[in-house]
Each structure stands twice: as structure tokens, then as C-alpha cells.
Amino acid sequence: MKNNMVNKALVSLSLVVGLMSVGAQAASSITLNDEFDYRGQKVALDMDVGQAELIASDQDKVRVEVVVKANDSKWFGFWQNSDVSSAKFDILDDGNKLILRLADQDDVNQKWRVYLPRNAELEVDAGVGEVMVDGLSASIDVELGVGRAEITHDANFGDVSLESGVGEVSIRDGGQRLKVNQNLVSQSYHQRGVSGDDHLYVSVGVGEIDVRN
């Protein structure tokens, strides 16, 4: 009886060690790179969890780098990492919009760096994380569930709408801090039809918005 119990324990231990070994061998990080022609289309980024830097350049290309890391998960008391070795882009370009995203975003953390023409329109849809936009001069739309959005721009926006459901909104124009609306836990800023055809719309469910030029 005791021998059977010992044998079962050894089998169970071997199984656990084997699973841990498989997890240790799985790739926990991978870097993807690509480059796309820019023909005036809107550039859109779709990201579940992670960080995104979107930087203006003087080239007529959209250059992309994303570091994909596995999120830790706990299974039967042991920490394991998902295998991200098969991570790949799922890019859609229909001529009007260039959509940047990963084919599978489950259980991964993404760190994007995107260089795009400074006159390109930008759209970002992100779940959790940080979005940083630097130097663009055309319309910007950012939807972020939880986290922080930081926008540094060179545009004269006709419409500006900044809303944080729970958190802070900060906007500076030429170094001067502008007054924002405060309502219990939310803050917002709205400017309509002042000058220019481009717009800046930023919405964060929970978190901060920082805009400056």
C-alpha cells in the first residue's frame, strides 16, 4: 500500500516537473518588426494590454516594432509563462486605414514603438496601459480603458475633447496650463470650433490625460 502511494507521488512529481520544464523552455519574449508604405491613410493601433509610443517622422513609411512578452499565470500553485514564439502581426490596409495589431492578444503584454508621418491621422484603441503620442500635426483619437495617455502635438486643433471618467486631465498650450472641468472623480476639457479642421479626442475610463504642445 505504501509502495503504491509512493509510486503515485513520484509519478505526480514527475508530471509537475515536466510541465515546469515545458514552461521554462517556452519563449517568454519576442520582437516583431515591419514597415508599410504610407499613402495618406489613417493609422490605427489596436492593443489590449501594454505600452504604445507613436512618434512623428519625416518619412513616407510607417515603421513598427513591438516587443511581445508573456503574462505570468498561476496554474496549480506554480507560475508559468505563456509561449509567445508564435506571435505575429495581423495587419489590415484597405487604402483608407492601416490597422496595426497582433493576431492573438490573449495573455500577452505588448510594447509598441511606431514611427509614422507627422501629417498622418492617428487612432488608438487600447484596453490597459500607457499611450504616448509625440509630434503629430493631424487628427488624433485615443480610447483607453485604464491607464495614462500623454499627447505632445504640433497641431492647431479645431475641436478638442478630453475626458477622464475617474482621474485627472491636464492640458497646456504654449506652456500655459488651461482650466479643466471637474466633477466629483471625473475631469474633462472641451474646446469647439476655434481653428483648424483637425481634432483631438482622448477618452480614458480610469486614469490620466496629459496634453501639451
mmCIF file of all heavy atoms in Angstrom, residues 54-58 116-120 133-140 150-158 160 172-174 195-196 198-200 211-213:
data_model
loop_
_atom_site.group_PDB
_atom_site.id
_atom_site.type_symbol
_atom_site.label_atom_id
_atom_site.label_comp_id
_atom_site.label_asym_id
_atom_site.label_seq_id
_atom_site.Cartn_x
_atom_site.Cartn_y
_atom_site.Cartn_z
ATOM 1 N N LEU A 54 3.928 56.411 -30.167
ATOM 2 C CA LEU A 54 3.643 56.741 -31.566
ATOM 3 C C LEU A 54 4.330 58.062 -31.870
ATOM 4 O O LEU A 54 3.965 59.109 -31.331
ATOM 5 C CB LEU A 54 2.140 56.799 -31.798
ATOM 6 C CG LEU A 54 1.477 55.455 -31.430
ATOM 7 C CD1 LEU A 54 0.534 55.643 -30.251
ATOM 8 C CD2 LEU A 54 0.749 54.847 -32.605
ATOM 9 N N ILE A 55 5.350 58.018 -32.735
ATOM 10 C CA ILE A 55 6.294 59.115 -32.889
ATOM 11 C C ILE A 55 6.265 59.637 -34.318
ATOM 12 O O ILE A 55 6.343 58.856 -35.285
ATOM 13 C CB ILE A 55 7.711 58.642 -32.530
ATOM 14 C CG1 ILE A 55 7.723 58.054 -31.106
ATOM 15 C CG2 ILE A 55 8.711 59.773 -32.656
ATOM 16 C CD1 ILE A 55 8.965 57.267 -30.788
ATOM 17 N N ALA A 56 6.180 60.950 -34.476
ATOM 18 C CA ALA A 56 6.158 61.565 -35.799
ATOM 19 C C ALA A 56 7.532 61.487 -36.450
ATOM 20 O O ALA A 56 8.566 61.642 -35.791
ATOM 21 C CB ALA A 56 5.719 63.022 -35.684
ATOM 22 N N SER A 57 7.532 61.240 -37.763
ATOM 23 C CA SER A 57 8.780 61.232 -38.532
ATOM 24 C C SER A 57 8.554 61.981 -39.842
ATOM 25 O O SER A 57 7.425 62.310 -40.203
ATOM 26 C CB SER A 57 9.234 59.798 -38.799
ATOM 27 O OG SER A 57 8.475 59.218 -39.842
ATOM 28 N N ASP A 58 9.643 62.228 -40.562
ATOM 29 C CA ASP A 58 9.556 62.930 -41.841
ATOM 30 C C ASP A 58 9.635 61.962 -43.024
ATOM 31 O O ASP A 58 9.862 62.385 -44.162
ATOM 32 C CB ASP A 58 10.677 63.967 -41.936
ATOM 33 C CG ASP A 58 10.502 65.094 -40.923
ATOM 34 O OD1 ASP A 58 9.351 65.528 -40.718
ATOM 35 O OD2 ASP A 58 11.515 65.529 -40.329
ATOM 36 N N LEU A 116 5.512 57.216 -37.656
ATOM 37 C CA LEU A 116 4.575 57.478 -38.743
ATOM 38 C C LEU A 116 4.722 58.924 -39.211
ATOM 39 O O LEU A 116 5.186 59.784 -38.462
ATOM 40 C CB LEU A 116 3.141 57.208 -38.303
ATOM 41 C CG LEU A 116 2.530 58.040 -37.183
ATOM 42 C CD1 LEU A 116 1.007 57.893 -37.212
ATOM 43 C CD2 LEU A 116 3.016 57.609 -35.810
ATOM 44 N N PRO A 117 4.353 59.215 -40.465
ATOM 45 C CA PRO A 117 4.454 60.587 -40.969
ATOM 46 C C PRO A 117 3.710 61.557 -40.057
ATOM 47 O O PRO A 117 2.613 61.262 -39.584
ATOM 48 C CB PRO A 117 3.795 60.496 -42.350
ATOM 49 C CG PRO A 117 4.005 59.069 -42.759
ATOM 50 C CD PRO A 117 3.877 58.276 -41.498
ATOM 51 N N ARG A 118 4.304 62.718 -39.829
ATOM 52 C CA ARG A 118 3.722 63.644 -38.848
ATOM 53 C C ARG A 118 2.361 64.181 -39.272
ATOM 54 O O ARG A 118 1.576 64.637 -38.435
ATOM 55 C CB ARG A 118 4.692 64.786 -38.551
ATOM 56 C CG ARG A 118 4.994 65.729 -39.662
ATOM 57 C CD ARG A 118 5.997 66.791 -39.209
ATOM 58 N NE ARG A 118 7.284 66.208 -38.822
ATOM 59 C CZ ARG A 118 7.724 66.086 -37.564
ATOM 60 N NH1 ARG A 118 6.970 66.505 -36.563
ATOM 61 N NH2 ARG A 118 8.904 65.566 -37.311
ATOM 62 N N ASN A 119 2.037 64.103 -40.555
ATOM 63 C CA ASN A 119 0.722 64.573 -41.014
ATOM 64 C C ASN A 119 -0.310 63.449 -41.105
ATOM 65 O O ASN A 119 -1.405 63.645 -41.636
ATOM 66 C CB ASN A 119 0.849 65.273 -42.366
ATOM 67 C CG ASN A 119 1.329 64.339 -43.467
ATOM 68 O OD1 ASN A 119 1.952 63.317 -43.178
ATOM 69 N ND2 ASN A 119 1.059 64.688 -44.710
ATOM 70 N N ALA A 120 0.022 62.277 -40.585
ATOM 71 C CA ALA A 120 -0.918 61.156 -40.619
ATOM 72 C C ALA A 120 -1.954 61.279 -39.509
ATOM 73 O O ALA A 120 -1.633 61.677 -38.385
ATOM 74 C CB ALA A 120 -0.162 59.834 -40.471
ATOM 75 N N VAL A 133 1.914 59.851 -27.526
ATOM 76 C CA VAL A 133 1.935 60.347 -28.901
ATOM 77 C C VAL A 133 2.822 61.585 -28.941
ATOM 78 O O VAL A 133 2.665 62.502 -28.128
ATOM 79 C CB VAL A 133 0.514 60.699 -29.389
ATOM 80 C CG1 VAL A 133 0.560 61.197 -30.826
ATOM 81 C CG2 VAL A 133 -0.415 59.493 -29.253
ATOM 82 N N ASP A 134 3.747 61.637 -29.900
ATOM 83 C CA ASP A 134 4.719 62.731 -29.916
ATOM 84 C C ASP A 134 4.893 63.307 -31.314
ATOM 85 O O ASP A 134 5.319 62.607 -32.232
ATOM 86 C CB ASP A 134 6.068 62.217 -29.405
ATOM 87 C CG ASP A 134 7.100 63.323 -29.234
ATOM 88 O OD1 ASP A 134 6.729 64.515 -29.308
ATOM 89 O OD2 ASP A 134 8.277 62.997 -29.024
ATOM 90 N N GLY A 135 4.531 64.592 -31.474
ATOM 91 C CA GLY A 135 4.912 65.347 -32.653
ATOM 92 C C GLY A 135 3.961 65.333 -33.824
ATOM 93 O O GLY A 135 4.267 65.926 -34.869
ATOM 94 N N LEU A 136 2.812 64.699 -33.724
ATOM 95 C CA LEU A 136 1.883 64.657 -34.860
ATOM 96 C C LEU A 136 1.180 66.002 -35.047
ATOM 97 O O LEU A 136 0.989 66.758 -34.101
ATOM 98 C CB LEU A 136 0.857 63.551 -34.666
ATOM 99 C CG LEU A 136 1.387 62.117 -34.660
ATOM 100 C CD1 LEU A 136 0.249 61.123 -34.520
ATOM 101 C CD2 LEU A 136 2.197 61.813 -35.915
ATOM 102 N N SER A 137 0.748 66.256 -36.294
ATOM 103 C CA SER A 137 0.116 67.541 -36.602
ATOM 104 C C SER A 137 -1.253 67.375 -37.240
ATOM 105 O O SER A 137 -1.790 68.328 -37.812
ATOM 106 C CB SER A 137 1.011 68.359 -37.537
ATOM 107 O OG SER A 137 1.256 67.658 -38.742
ATOM 108 N N ALA A 138 -1.834 66.171 -37.161
ATOM 109 C CA ALA A 138 -3.167 65.928 -37.719
ATOM 110 C C ALA A 138 -4.062 65.356 -36.621
ATOM 111 O O ALA A 138 -3.678 65.293 -35.457
ATOM 112 C CB ALA A 138 -3.082 64.981 -38.910
ATOM 113 N N SER A 139 -5.265 64.949 -36.993
ATOM 114 C CA SER A 139 -6.257 64.490 -36.013
ATOM 115 C C SER A 139 -5.777 63.271 -35.233
ATOM 116 O O SER A 139 -5.139 62.367 -35.778
ATOM 117 C CB SER A 139 -7.574 64.148 -36.713
ATOM 118 O OG SER A 139 -8.185 65.307 -37.248
ATOM 119 N N ILE A 140 -6.116 63.267 -33.940
ATOM 120 C CA ILE A 140 -5.729 62.190 -33.041
ATOM 121 C C ILE A 140 -6.962 61.736 -32.264
ATOM 122 O O ILE A 140 -7.662 62.562 -31.665
ATOM 123 C CB ILE A 140 -4.641 62.641 -32.058
ATOM 124 C CG1 ILE A 140 -3.383 63.103 -32.809
ATOM 125 C CG2 ILE A 140 -4.301 61.517 -31.066
ATOM 126 C CD1 ILE A 140 -2.349 63.770 -31.914
ATOM 127 N N GLU A 150 -0.599 60.342 -22.908
ATOM 128 C CA GLU A 150 0.233 61.549 -22.968
ATOM 129 C C GLU A 150 0.371 61.976 -24.421
ATOM 130 O O GLU A 150 0.886 61.225 -25.248
ATOM 131 C CB GLU A 150 1.610 61.269 -22.358
ATOM 132 C CG GLU A 150 2.551 62.455 -22.404
ATOM 133 C CD GLU A 150 3.916 62.117 -21.826
ATOM 134 O OE1 GLU A 150 3.967 61.611 -20.677
ATOM 135 O OE2 GLU A 150 4.919 62.332 -22.527
ATOM 136 N N ILE A 151 -0.084 63.188 -24.725
ATOM 137 C CA ILE A 151 -0.084 63.686 -26.104
ATOM 138 C C ILE A 151 0.759 64.946 -26.182
ATOM 139 O O ILE A 151 0.462 65.952 -25.522
ATOM 140 C CB ILE A 151 -1.512 64.013 -26.598
ATOM 141 C CG1 ILE A 151 -2.504 62.895 -26.231
ATOM 142 C CG2 ILE A 151 -1.491 64.306 -28.098
ATOM 143 C CD1 ILE A 151 -2.265 61.594 -26.934
ATOM 144 N N THR A 152 1.813 64.922 -26.990
ATOM 145 C CA THR A 152 2.586 66.122 -27.317
ATOM 146 C C THR A 152 2.422 66.349 -28.812
ATOM 147 O O THR A 152 2.785 65.481 -29.613
ATOM 148 C CB THR A 152 4.073 65.933 -26.969
ATOM 149 O OG1 THR A 152 4.199 65.587 -25.593
ATOM 150 C CG2 THR A 152 4.846 67.218 -27.227
ATOM 151 N N HIS A 153 1.870 67.501 -29.209
ATOM 152 C CA HIS A 153 1.478 67.678 -30.610
ATOM 153 C C HIS A 153 1.980 68.995 -31.182
ATOM 154 O O HIS A 153 2.418 69.897 -30.459
ATOM 155 C CB HIS A 153 -0.051 67.623 -30.731
ATOM 156 C CG HIS A 153 -0.746 68.767 -30.042
ATOM 157 N ND1 HIS A 153 -1.008 69.958 -30.689
ATOM 158 C CD2 HIS A 153 -1.229 68.897 -28.783
ATOM 159 C CE1 HIS A 153 -1.615 70.781 -29.851
ATOM 160 N NE2 HIS A 153 -1.770 70.167 -28.687
ATOM 161 N N ASP A 154 1.868 69.114 -32.517
ATOM 162 C CA ASP A 154 2.232 70.327 -33.239
ATOM 163 C C ASP A 154 1.066 70.774 -34.120
ATOM 164 O O ASP A 154 1.264 71.265 -35.231
ATOM 165 C CB ASP A 154 3.463 70.087 -34.115
ATOM 166 C CG ASP A 154 4.723 69.857 -33.305
ATOM 167 O OD1 ASP A 154 4.882 70.509 -32.259
ATOM 168 O OD2 ASP A 154 5.538 69.007 -33.703
ATOM 169 N N ALA A 155 -0.145 70.613 -33.629
ATOM 170 C CA ALA A 155 -1.330 70.893 -34.450
ATOM 171 C C ALA A 155 -2.136 72.050 -33.895
ATOM 172 O O ALA A 155 -2.075 72.370 -32.704
ATOM 173 C CB ALA A 155 -2.202 69.648 -34.522
ATOM 174 N N ASN A 156 -2.931 72.685 -34.779
ATOM 175 C CA ASN A 156 -3.947 73.659 -34.369
ATOM 176 C C ASN A 156 -5.302 72.974 -34.504
ATOM 177 O O ASN A 156 -5.903 72.964 -35.573
ATOM 178 C CB ASN A 156 -3.890 74.910 -35.259
ATOM 179 C CG ASN A 156 -2.616 75.703 -35.050
ATOM 180 O OD1 ASN A 156 -2.182 75.904 -33.924
ATOM 181 N ND2 ASN A 156 -2.019 76.142 -36.156
ATOM 182 N N PHE A 157 -5.751 72.371 -33.425
ATOM 183 C CA PHE A 157 -6.985 71.590 -33.472
ATOM 184 C C PHE A 157 -8.210 72.496 -33.460
ATOM 185 O O PHE A 157 -8.304 73.434 -32.679
ATOM 186 C CB PHE A 157 -7.060 70.647 -32.274
ATOM 187 C CG PHE A 157 -5.994 69.593 -32.251
ATOM 188 C CD1 PHE A 157 -5.051 69.560 -31.238
ATOM 189 C CD2 PHE A 157 -5.924 68.636 -33.257
ATOM 190 C CE1 PHE A 157 -4.077 68.586 -31.209
ATOM 191 C CE2 PHE A 157 -4.941 67.657 -33.247
ATOM 192 C CZ PHE A 157 -4.008 67.634 -32.221
ATOM 193 N N GLY A 158 -9.161 72.160 -34.354
ATOM 194 C CA GLY A 158 -10.422 72.869 -34.321
ATOM 195 C C GLY A 158 -11.259 72.434 -33.133
ATOM 196 O O GLY A 158 -11.846 73.258 -32.435
ATOM 197 N N VAL A 160 -11.328 70.007 -29.544
ATOM 198 C CA VAL A 160 -10.579 69.250 -28.545
ATOM 199 C C VAL A 160 -11.569 68.719 -27.517
ATOM 200 O O VAL A 160 -12.376 69.475 -26.978
ATOM 201 C CB VAL A 160 -9.517 70.116 -27.832
ATOM 202 C CG1 VAL A 160 -8.808 69.300 -26.746
ATOM 203 C CG2 VAL A 160 -8.497 70.653 -28.835
ATOM 204 N N ARG A 172 -1.909 71.875 -21.537
ATOM 205 C CA ARG A 172 -1.106 73.084 -21.593
ATOM 206 C C ARG A 172 -0.974 73.542 -23.035
ATOM 207 O O ARG A 172 -0.746 72.731 -23.931
ATOM 208 C CB ARG A 172 0.272 72.828 -20.981
ATOM 209 C CG ARG A 172 0.280 72.806 -19.452
ATOM 210 C CD ARG A 172 1.553 72.224 -18.903
ATOM 211 N NE ARG A 172 1.534 70.760 -19.020
ATOM 212 C CZ ARG A 172 2.504 69.969 -18.559
ATOM 213 N NH1 ARG A 172 3.575 70.502 -17.999
ATOM 214 N NH2 ARG A 172 2.413 68.660 -18.676
ATOM 215 N N ASP A 173 -1.106 74.849 -23.236
ATOM 216 C CA ASP A 173 -0.986 75.454 -24.557
ATOM 217 C C ASP A 173 0.148 76.459 -24.505
ATOM 218 O O ASP A 173 0.042 77.499 -23.865
ATOM 219 C CB ASP A 173 -2.292 76.137 -24.950
ATOM 220 C CG ASP A 173 -2.261 76.678 -26.375
ATOM 221 O OD1 ASP A 173 -1.262 76.431 -27.079
ATOM 222 O OD2 ASP A 173 -3.227 77.338 -26.778
ATOM 223 N N GLY A 174 1.260 76.159 -25.190
ATOM 224 C CA GLY A 174 2.417 77.040 -25.148
ATOM 225 C C GLY A 174 2.984 77.204 -23.753
ATOM 226 O O GLY A 174 3.495 78.275 -23.406
ATOM 227 N N SER A 195 -10.137 76.794 -34.336
ATOM 228 C CA SER A 195 -9.353 76.960 -35.565
ATOM 229 C C SER A 195 -8.928 75.592 -36.069
ATOM 230 O O SER A 195 -8.773 74.647 -35.305
ATOM 231 C CB SER A 195 -8.118 77.828 -35.312
ATOM 232 O OG SER A 195 -7.259 77.200 -34.386
ATOM 233 N N GLY A 196 -8.762 75.508 -37.379
ATOM 234 C CA GLY A 196 -8.266 74.266 -37.962
ATOM 235 C C GLY A 196 -9.351 73.230 -38.172
ATOM 236 O O GLY A 196 -10.413 73.258 -37.561
ATOM 237 N N ASP A 198 -8.572 69.817 -38.003
ATOM 238 C CA ASP A 198 -8.215 68.601 -37.280
ATOM 239 C C ASP A 198 -8.769 68.630 -35.859
ATOM 240 O O ASP A 198 -9.115 69.685 -35.323
ATOM 241 C CB ASP A 198 -6.690 68.439 -37.229
ATOM 242 C CG ASP A 198 -6.096 68.212 -38.614
ATOM 243 O OD1 ASP A 198 -6.598 67.323 -39.314
ATOM 244 O OD2 ASP A 198 -5.146 68.927 -38.978
ATOM 245 N N HIS A 199 -8.825 67.435 -35.237
ATOM 246 C CA HIS A 199 -9.387 67.352 -33.890
ATOM 247 C C HIS A 199 -8.518 66.471 -33.002
ATOM 248 O O HIS A 199 -7.713 65.660 -33.481
ATOM 249 C CB HIS A 199 -10.812 66.786 -33.923
ATOM 250 C CG HIS A 199 -10.895 65.379 -34.418
ATOM 251 N ND1 HIS A 199 -11.251 65.064 -35.718
ATOM 252 C CD2 HIS A 199 -10.654 64.187 -33.812
ATOM 253 C CE1 HIS A 199 -11.241 63.755 -35.881
ATOM 254 N NE2 HIS A 199 -10.875 63.182 -34.725
ATOM 255 N N LEU A 200 -8.700 66.641 -31.709
ATOM 256 C CA LEU A 200 -8.044 65.812 -30.701
ATOM 257 C C LEU A 200 -9.109 65.299 -29.745
ATOM 258 O O LEU A 200 -9.723 66.076 -29.019
ATOM 259 C CB LEU A 200 -6.998 66.622 -29.924
ATOM 260 C CG LEU A 200 -6.377 65.916 -28.705
ATOM 261 C CD1 LEU A 200 -5.614 64.673 -29.129
ATOM 262 C CD2 LEU A 200 -5.471 66.865 -27.927
ATOM 263 N N VAL A 211 -1.916 66.588 -22.010
ATOM 264 C CA VAL A 211 -1.795 67.109 -23.374
ATOM 265 C C VAL A 211 -0.989 68.397 -23.343
ATOM 266 O O VAL A 211 -1.223 69.275 -22.498
ATOM 267 C CB VAL A 211 -3.183 67.380 -23.996
ATOM 268 C CG1 VAL A 211 -3.050 68.049 -25.364
ATOM 269 C CG2 VAL A 211 -3.980 66.081 -24.111
ATOM 270 N N ARG A 212 -0.070 68.542 -24.277
ATOM 271 C CA ARG A 212 0.722 69.775 -24.360
ATOM 272 C C ARG A 212 1.275 69.938 -25.774
ATOM 273 O O ARG A 212 1.396 68.981 -26.528
ATOM 274 C CB ARG A 212 1.847 69.784 -23.334
ATOM 275 C CG ARG A 212 2.805 68.623 -23.418
ATOM 276 C CD ARG A 212 3.837 68.708 -22.291
ATOM 277 N NE ARG A 212 4.765 67.588 -22.330
ATOM 278 C CZ ARG A 212 4.578 66.449 -21.703
ATOM 279 N NH1 ARG A 212 3.489 66.246 -20.987
ATOM 280 N NH2 ARG A 212 5.493 65.484 -21.779
ATOM 281 N N ASN A 213 1.607 71.197 -26.085
ATOM 282 C CA ASN A 213 2.264 71.460 -27.367
ATOM 283 C C ASN A 213 3.468 72.356 -27.152
ATOM 284 O O ASN A 213 3.814 72.646 -26.007
ATOM 285 C CB ASN A 213 1.278 72.062 -28.382
ATOM 286 C CG ASN A 213 0.736 73.417 -27.923
ATOM 287 O OD1 ASN A 213 1.166 73.958 -26.905
ATOM 288 N ND2 ASN A 213 -0.197 73.955 -28.676
#
